[in-house]
Amino acid sequence: MIHNERSSFIGLIPLLIFVLFYLGVGIFLQIQGVSMAFYQLPSPIAVSIGIISAFILFKGSIKEKFHVFLEGCGHQDIITMCIIYLLAGAFASVAKTMGGVDSTVNLALSYIPVKFLVPSIFIVASFISTATGTSVGSIVSIAPIAVGLAEKSGVSLPLMLAAVMGGAMFGDNLSIISDTTIAATRTQGVEMKDKFKVNSYIAVPAAITTIILLLIFGTSKVVTHMEVLNYSLLKILPYISVLIMAVSGLNVFIVLTFGIIVAGLIGVIYGDFTLLSLSKEIYNGFLGMNEIFLLSLLSGGLAAMTTKAGGIQWLIEHIQKLIIGKKTAKLGIGLLVSVTDMAVANNTVAIIINGSIAKNISKKYDIDPKESAAILDIFSCIFQGLLPYGAQMLILLNFANEQVSPFDLIPLLWYQLLLLIFTLVFIRIKK
């Protein structure tokens, strides 16, 4: 994103307008008892109100402001995410139509006891995200299956989705090939393996505690035993191929495109659709991601305008004033990256923005660079995994077909909350 040294609270106002308007309308409608309250106001409209206010409040010509806005919309991270959305939607649509989800769900329900379904989903999502370094890739791979498992087993759908999110963020934070790990270690000048060790002391206990909680609370109150159900191993192949390719480290674009092709060919073989109807199914998948696509594109532009106007710099300067010692310096680094992540909704960008500042704070207060790298990564992933308008939350809830709102999910995101608690304990007891 765009960097500059200007500092201004006014730079934050459009972002605050977007967040408060979006959340405020949802909360108000929820109180009024409106069904699916947080889906009544389309999120791209809410962010558009913030963008309009930015054009009104910020200095400069309309041409200059449009340039900054479009530069943010066209940022590589934003466009990459948008293309992933489209491919993920197409793969999910084609695989579901040809029966892939039903077969995968039936296979799992036939052999995995219901009480182990939710922790199993958390563990699988954690493994995939750690192996691939991407939370979004893990969510795309697992979420459709998790939704199907919840519907057929009677397990709470919000809890199942929370398990997917928790596992996805576990790997996003801990993986040595994650963008966040690379950004954190490079900016702090440490080796990945050293940051991994510090990070794992905090993340692994949080994950183990989460698994225990999911074992206790993840049992269905409806179904206690599932009979062997009908499934086709061939129709499960698209998911297996996607998982194997993702874990092998292949580019996510190649993985999803190959998955679409495999699912499409199997569907044609089974007569679920023709080549022409397959093309329409792919397009339907694209259309299903419209809201997420537009929100990510527009919020990228708003984040760039906020940064250019000095909103992020204002946050950084004021948080630094709270630092009075080594422990508060560590908390200050965590707070900096957390608030920045809430502003730009991208944990990698949040780390990059605060990397050099965190390094200077670490030198001044004699903080081990391995710890500052771990703190940067952990806090950014915690809040990225909690944001109602973050990419991970948006794409996860999209697979639930508006059955779950962000505020149904957030109280169940135990891994993120436990990770925060374990990190604060680590900061408190570490000298």
Side-chain angles (χ1 to χ4, degrees), residues 290-355:
N290 270 353
E291 183 172 347
I292 302 175
F293 185 101
L294 290 172
L295 177 60
S296 296
L297 200 68
L298 295 173
S299 60
L302 178 58
M305 294 182 77
T306 296
T307 305
K308 180 69 174 178
I312 304 300
Q313 186 63 29
W314 185 89
L315 282 173
I316 290 170
E317 290 177 0
H318 280 73
I319 290 173
Q320 286 189 89
K321 292 177 182 178
L322 302 175
I323 297 173
I324 56 175
K326 189 171 185 177
K327 293 187 188 301
T328 57
K330 293 178 184 179
L331 288 173
I333 291 171
L335 186 58
L336 275 171
V337 75
S338 301
V339 175
T340 305
D341 183 67
M342 286 187 277
V344 300
N346 185 308
N347 45 346
T348 304
V349 172
I351 292 172
I352 292 170
I353 288 173
N354 291 285

Side-chain angles (χ1 to χ4, degrees), residues 190-201:
V190 298
E191 295 293 327
M192 289 187 186
K193 60 182 177 63
D194 295 326
K195 177 263 185 187
F196 178 85
K197 289 177 183 177
V198 175
N199 208 152
S200 61
Y201 293 148

Side-chain angles (χ1 to χ4, degrees), residues 339-402:
V339 175
T340 305
D341 183 67
M342 286 187 277
V344 300
N346 185 308
N347 45 346
T348 304
V349 172
I351 292 172
I352 292 170
I353 288 173
N354 291 285
S356 60
I357 299 160
K359 190 172 185 178
N360 290 334
I361 292 173
S362 297
K363 286 182 179 179
K364 183 176 180 179
Y365 293 96
D366 194 29
I367 298 170
D368 189 329
K370 297 191 292 290
E371 291 183 28
S372 63
I375 289 169
L376 273 174
D377 200 344
I378 288 171
F379 274 94
S380 70
C381 284
I382 288 171
F383 284 88
Q384 185 66 26
L386 291 170
L387 287 180
Y389 50 91
Q392 288 80 359
M393 184 77 76
L394 291 169
I395 198 167
L396 178 65
L397 295 182
N398 189 76
F399 286 116
N401 296 318
E402 300 189 359

